[in-house]
Amino acid sequence: MGGPGRTMLGRRISANVWSTTSPVAIAILVVAGCGSAAASATPSTGAGGPRSPSAAPTASVPAAGLASPSIAPVSASPDALALLRQPIDQLGRRLVATIDVGGVPEWVGAGTDAIWVTNRALGSVQRIDPTRNAIVGSVPVAEPCNGFAFGFGSVWTASCHDQALVRIDPTRNVLAKTIPTAIAADGEGQVAAAFGSIWIAGGDGRLRRLDPASNRFVASLAVPMGADAIVAGRDSIWITDPEGNDVLRIDPAANKVSWRVKVGPHPQFIAADSTAVWVLNQDDGTVSRIDAAAGSVRSIGADSKGRDVGCIGAGLGSSWVTVPDLPLTRVDATSMSVTEQFSGPGGDCLTTGFGSVWLVNNALGTVSRIAPPK
């Protein structure tokens, strides 16, 4: 996900209205990569138009020990994607609402009953009620950054100003605890909640585990330097290693790396659904799907390139990607093909929740809610 100076410029729009004469800037969220919601039981279908080439599978990762299987060439056709691509204003009625949050919104996540947004410029974490599509709360946090996690009755994020993990009480919309730890100012998705713990990757070569009952760190394990984007998926914690072109699977019972899965060049953003882990590879713009049970990998060209910008989410039968100039790309989870892609201004980070995709645009100070294709 890009910082405040990395997104596209554009103009604000009103809820439920798309311009028919000029490009419209939007923003939607994810997992979490931001965090993301689990995929629906029935995968979404494509929106029509030419389909992208089939994904290329890779060899399975052994269930025990470390492995780095070779990656088969990715079948990618820029021409096919160009034929599929359409202007962002063609979303039409799928734009449910655009919420003006002000400031510079960055990360977005879906909690149990709300959408949460970090806003460094305002020094706050904002709460959006999905039944009203409106801000209903704001919690002061100094330079909130680097993702969300939800669990143990709390909302978890980070303060880059305080170099700390932040615990928010969502019943009262107040800051409940600030816990000092290593946080990378330019990190990506450093927080996860699962397996009885909160997991923090500081980008400093350590993955830390916190007991939410005591707010104390109870374990720490070595990971590659620069590894900081994490997600909980199936029975494991997964973390990207951008320099090694790998995704590491962490066994939470043993507190150790159990698999090393080779994906594409410079994997950074990561999300998970009920069966798979999804990765955006920044240097070639591909999307990789890791089977969470078998460790096998399939990748597809999505033309979503760019260092330090973008986001990936998972849910609604798809993986969703945003990067500058391509604010929304959908990869169907069943066919592993790009089924729709929208161009134009907009995009920064995204997630799924409450039957929608939520897209942040930090240049415009907006969060847009978009319905999946029928």
Side-chain angles (χ1 to χ4, degrees):
M1 190 206 70
R6 294 169 178 155
T7 49
M8 300 63 63
L9 298 178
R11 61 184 182 83
R12 295 182 186 273
I13 54 177
S14 301
N16 302 306
V17 178
W18 285 99
S19 168
T20 57
T21 58
S22 62
V24 181
I26 67 167
I28 312 171
L29 174 62
V30 115
V31 222
C34 313
S36 60
S40 59
T42 303
S44 303
T45 56
R51 293 166 67 90
S52 61
S54 299
T58 68
S60 297
V61 178
L66 302 182
S68 296
S70 60
I71 294 293
V74 174
S75 177
S77 170
D79 291 339
L81 288 173
L83 290 172
L84 180 74
R85 195 172 298 148
Q86 54 186 313
I88 191 65
D89 58 4
Q90 295 301 307
L91 276 172
R93 293 183 178 179
R94 285 174 57 190
L95 177 66
V96 178
T98 295
I99 304 150
D100 190 339
V101 299
V104 184
E106 297 181 82
W107 290 93
V108 59
T112 56
D113 60 359
I115 294 294
W116 297 83
V117 183
T118 65
N119 199 315
R120 285 204 205 196
L122 300 181
S124 66
V125 173
Q126 297 164 300
R127 179 175 185 159
I128 296 174
D129 181 348
T131 66
R132 298 166 53 190
N133 294 319
I135 296 174
V136 294
S138 180
V139 181
V141 176
E143 293 185 28
C145 61
N146 300 347
F148 282 106
F150 305 92
F152 313 104
S154 302
V155 177
W156 306 81
T157 188
S159 166
C160 278
H161 179 273
D162 296 334
Q163 292 285 285
L165 175 68
V166 171
R167 183 172 191 168
I168 294 171
D169 179 350
T171 62
R172 297 183 296 149
N173 287 337
V174 297
L175 180 62
K177 188 72 174 178
T178 299
I179 306 164
T181 186
I183 292 292
D186 58 351
E188 307 288 358
Q190 294 176 255
V191 188
F195 316 114
S197 302
I198 304 301
W199 304 77
I200 305 293
D204 61 347
R206 306 300 302 179
L207 177 61
R208 296 167 175 84
R209 184 171 186 170
L210 177 132
D211 175 10
S214 64
N215 290 320
R216 294 179 181 274
F217 289 99
V218 294
S220 175
L221 63 146
V223 294
M225 291 292 295
D228 62 3
I230 58 177
V231 70
R234 200 174 173 88
D235 58 354
S236 304
I237 294 292
W238 305 78
I239 182 168
T240 57
D241 174 12
E243 299 306 317
N245 301 332
D246 296 323
V247 173
L248 279 60
R249 180 177 183 173
I250 310 298
D251 178 351
N255 282 329
K256 69 177 183 179
V257 177
S258 58
W259 291 0
R260 183 184 295 273
V261 184
K262 188 69 68 177
V263 285
H266 203 84
Q268 181 65 80
F269 304 102
I270 190 168
D273 57 29
S274 60
T275 61
V277 175
W278 297 86
V279 183
L280 175 58
N281 304 303
Q282 292 185 294
D283 279 0
D284 66 358
T286 58
V287 173
S288 294
R289 179 188 185 276
I290 303 171
D291 185 303
S296 57
V297 183
R298 301 178 71 194
S299 296
I300 186 69
D303 199 24
S304 299
K305 302 177 184 178
R307 288 283 184 104
D308 303 319
V309 293
C311 201
I312 190 168
L316 305 171
S318 306
S319 176
W320 307 83
V321 176
T322 181
V323 294
D325 301 324
L326 294 174
L328 188 61
T329 297
R330 175 177 177 259
V331 178
D332 183 85
T334 300
S335 64
M336 194 59 190
S337 61
V338 177
T339 55
E340 58 181 358
Q341 188 171 73
F342 295 92
S343 62
D348 183 65
C349 193
L350 56 75
T351 195
T352 60
F354 310 100
S356 302
V357 180
W358 302 79
L359 179 67
V360 165
N361 186 316
N362 64 23
L364 298 184
T366 60
V367 177
S368 292
R369 182 176 186 171
I370 298 172
K374 294 182 179 179

